[in-house]
Amino acid sequence: MSQSFDVVVIGGGPGGYIAAIRAAQLGFNTACIDEWKNDKGGPAPGGTCTNVGCIPSKALLQSSEHFEHAGHHFADHGIGLKDLSIDVAKMLGRKNTVVKQNNDGILYLFKKNKVAFFHGRGSFVKAVDGGYEIAVAGDKPETLIAKNVIVATGSNPRALPGAAFDEENILSNDGALRIPAVPKRLGVIGSGVIGLEMGSVWRRLGAEVTVLEALPTFLGAVDQQIAKEAHKAFTKQGLKIELGVKISEVKSDKKGVTVAYADAKGAVQTLAVDKLIVSIGRVANTIGLNVEAVGLKLDERGMVVVDDECRTNLPGVWAVGDVVRGPMLAHKAEEEGVAVAERIAGQHGHVNFNTIPWVIYTSPEIAWVGQTEQQLKEAGREYRAGTFPFMANGRARALGDTTGMVKMLADAKTDEILGVHIVGPFASELIAEAVVAMEFKASSEDIARICHAHPSLSEATKEAALAVDKRTLNF
Ligand SMILES: Cc1cc2nc3c(=O)[nH]c(=O)nc-3n(C[C@H](O)[C@H](O)[C@H](O)COP(=O)(O)OP(=O)(O)OC[C@H]3O[C@@H](n4cnc5c(N)ncnc54)[C@H](O)[C@@H]3O)c2cc1C
């Protein structure tokens, strides 16, 4: 016997579970299928984000930051500590608890919103009259009939050719989040968000970390003034970053991993490490979806092809999140999930790609929204820039964290804010003001005239806005 639904979502990551909740809120009879298993084989909805991505990485970043503060900064506050140590098993256990709280939270939300949850792999069987037949393969095989299908099957880590992940020595994000003891030497290939965050965790805990990056520019997508400031801070902390390298071979054995590469000058080098994290991007995941059965179109990179509104080539089939074009970010996946559910309901769901914030949760944190100075230059757009250093911010001084700055870019004629770039304490939180401002098409003068609490880090944003008009008050 098959069960019929208005909406069936395949994948329960941030794109999928949020789409399912919104569809149910809109009155649709909704199901969500997710195959992720916890260590006991039970359901673990939340996808990459909850299980091996955003949430566990932030849990470990928090633990390792506490350790770093205790070891290096508490003394400045007059706090003495003897015999500081790290219990990695306990730290990983705490991280697992945080993950489970999030898994359970999603299962609770499904119940609350009356979303039918199916634990197993969902795949297309065939198109049927007015919809699609979907098979669920799992502990309890099921057949579902869906009027509308939302594909939200996410992404998988990309492996380096010739260096398959074994999660013992050569680690994806999954293995990087459960290294059982602090490695003496850790290699990271790829200086993107994931590589820098994971490298930071284990460096803070005592590993000697070397990051190898193929591109000649550090954080090429980030405003280069901000990227340079971050590079300076990371290098000072002891993170070794080599740019412009070309990896030729990765060998792994019981003793560890050896990476042979040519450095930026072309000289042959070898890096010997105990563990190697490979974070060179992610690939869309449509494994097991049986797209051929219904003719769902994929592009040459394996992503589901969608239009601006997440419609696929098939009527009633939509796709959101990492499995489609656009930034691979949890909040982008969520926004698309909500918008698609609303479009199915005949509403005008909307995602503004120009105001999606980006955050790198290193220390200092890096966050930005909108265009970088190099993008504005390339586009020939006239702009004015204002920067304000945290060194001149009272709250940052009190926190003992004065690295970095806020930088604001505004149109030279209209003064509309075109981009805000932050490197420094709590950049991940500060960026929200800039996102709101840009959504409402604020000018830098608007931010400059808004009262900001004192002392607060947000005053640096106000001062950066004042700096656009060359009238900072505290610098
Ligand atoms: C280490 C790391 C840190 C990250 N940190 C951040 C961050 O701080 N902020 C941020 O915004 N983003 C972060 N990301 C990216 C973020 O995790 C992804 O962008 C986000 O998870 C994408 O959501 P999604 O719903 O598209 O896919 P996913 O989260 O990948 O979820 C897809 C789900 O679908 C399931 N699935 C796949 N195929 C099937 C099938 N056929 N049947 C049933 N189920 C299926 C999968 O098991 C999975 O549960 C991070 C990623 C990593 C790896």
Side-chain angles (χ1 to χ4, degrees):
M1 261 287 281
S2 57
Q3 300 185 51
S4 292
F5 292 92
D6 298 321
V7 178
V8 169
V9 184
I10 307 179
Y17 91 79
I18 288 291
I21 289 173
R22 186 70 189 119
Q25 283 176 348
L26 289 162
F28 292 118
N29 180 17
T30 306
C32 183
I33 310 167
D34 188 80
E35 65 177 344
W36 207 292
K37 288 183 181 156
N38 61 25
D39 52 4
K40 297 191 178 66
T48 301
C49 167
T50 301
N51 293 293
V52 291
C54 325
I55 301 299
S57 59
K58 268 80 244 177
L60 294 189
L61 279 157
Q62 190 60 54
S63 300
S64 60
E65 192 163 1
H66 283 322
F67 184 72
E68 173 138 303
H69 279 206
H72 299 282
H73 305 299
F74 275 14
D76 298 342
H77 296 261
I79 303 168
L81 268 180
K82 267 194 208 152
D83 304 329
L84 182 66
S85 66
I86 178 79
D87 180 341
V88 174
K90 194 159 182 182
M91 177 185 77
L92 296 180
R94 173 187 176 274
K95 179 241 344 173
N96 294 342
T97 304
V98 173
V99 168
K100 186 164 186 316
Q101 285 165 346
N102 282 273
N103 297 140
D104 292 348
I106 296 167
L107 289 171
Y108 161 78
L109 290 171
F110 281 157
K111 267 201 191 121
K112 182 182 160 201
N113 289 282
K114 301 192 174 47
V115 172
F117 175 67
F118 294 91
H119 188 212
R121 173 168 286 188
S123 59
F124 286 102
V125 179
K126 59 184 180 214
V128 294
D129 208 9
Y132 298 86
E133 185 179 317
I134 308 287
V136 184
D139 299 340
K140 287 189 218 145
E142 303 269 357
T143 302
L144 314 182
I145 302 294
K147 275 190 206 152
N148 296 278
V149 180
I150 304 176
V151 176
T153 45
S155 61
N156 289 319
R158 184 193 302 278
L160 198 66
F165 295 119
D166 58 20
E167 304 299 4
E168 279 294 324
N169 280 358
I170 301 178
L171 314 172
S172 71
N173 54 296
D174 183 6
L177 289 160
R178 50 186 172 84
I179 303 177
V182 181
K184 192 169 172 313
R185 300 157 309 166
L186 174 71
V188 179
I189 299 188
S191 71
V193 178
I194 296 171
L196 288 175
E197 289 187 3
M198 291 296 92
S200 295
V201 165
W202 296 103
R203 183 206 55 76
R204 289 170 188 170
L205 299 178
E208 194 181 289
V209 180
T210 306
V211 182
L212 300 179
E213 167 61 53
L215 294 173
T217 313
F218 181 62
L219 291 175
V222 176
D223 187 279
Q224 280 306 292
Q225 191 177 359
I226 298 292
K228 282 199 184 100
E229 191 75 13
H231 187 271
K232 211 165 54 185
F234 296 151
T235 310
K236 200 169 151 200
Q237 290 162 4
L239 207 61
K240 285 188 208 142
I241 304 168
E242 276 205 56
L243 301 172
V245 309
K246 202 167 172 212
I247 311 282
S248 48
E249 195 182 34
V250 176
K251 271 195 202 152
S252 169
D253 59 26
K254 275 191 197 137
K255 285 195 212 133
V257 188
T258 313
V259 183
Y261 65 97
D263 66 19
K265 289 184 184 135
V268 176
Q269 305 285 354
T270 310
L271 175 72
V273 290
D274 304 304
K275 306 270 179 199
L276 179 73
I277 297 173
V278 177
S279 51
I280 54 168
R282 297 182 62 83
V283 281
N285 170 35
T286 53
I287 301 166
L289 201 54
N290 199 19
V291 294
E292 303 80 15
V294 287
L296 181 65
K297 201 169 159 194
L298 309 183
D299 69 12
E300 60 291 348
R301 289 174 301 162
M303 290 188 154
V304 177
V305 176
V306 287
D307 67 9
D308 288 351
E309 299 202 317
C310 295
R311 281 186 191 80
T312 69
N313 63 313
L314 302 175
V317 180
W318 308 72
V320 300
D322 279 10
V323 79
V324 303
R325 72 341 179 210
M328 287 188 171
L329 292 170
H331 41 283
K332 174 265 193 182
E334 292 185 15
E335 291 299 304
E336 286 184 332
V338 168
V340 162
E342 293 177 352
R343 285 169 194 143
I344 292 172
Q347 298 182 3
H348 299 281
H350 177 66
V351 182
N352 184 354
F353 274 77
N354 295 325
T355 53
I356 293 176
W358 290 78
V359 180
I360 308 178
Y361 294 81
T362 42
S363 178
E365 289 186 347
I366 304 166
W368 71 100
V369 58
Q371 301 187 69
T372 60
E373 194 163 355
Q374 59 266 26
Q375 283 173 327
L376 294 177
K377 277 189 181 144
E378 270 163 35
R381 183 126 184 208
E382 285 183 38
Y383 63 91
R384 291 192 299 166
T387 56
F388 187 82
F390 285 108
M391 200 182 61
N393 174 273
R395 183 75 195 279
R397 287 195 199 115
L399 282 172
D401 192 354
T402 53
T403 316
M405 70 180 90
V406 178
K407 172 173 181 175
M408 189 173 286
L409 299 164
D411 186 277
K413 289 193 188 82
T414 65
D415 195 33
E416 181 182 340
I417 300 171
L418 303 173
V420 176
H421 306 270
I422 308 174
V423 54
F426 294 100
S428 56
E429 300 296 330
L430 293 174
I431 201 66
E433 177 182 9
V435 175
V436 173
M438 286 184 63
E439 267 297 335
F440 285 91
K441 300 214 169 292
S443 62
S444 75
E445 186 66 21
D446 288 328
I447 299 297
R449 288 188 178 276
I450 289 172
C451 181
H452 288 66
H454 176 77
S456 73
L457 297 169
S458 71
E459 287 172 291
T461 307
K462 178 189 170 108
E463 291 275 3
L466 285 165
V468 169
D469 196 37
K470 297 194 172 40
R471 52 178 226 264
T472 49
L473 296 166
N474 283 287
F475 188 62

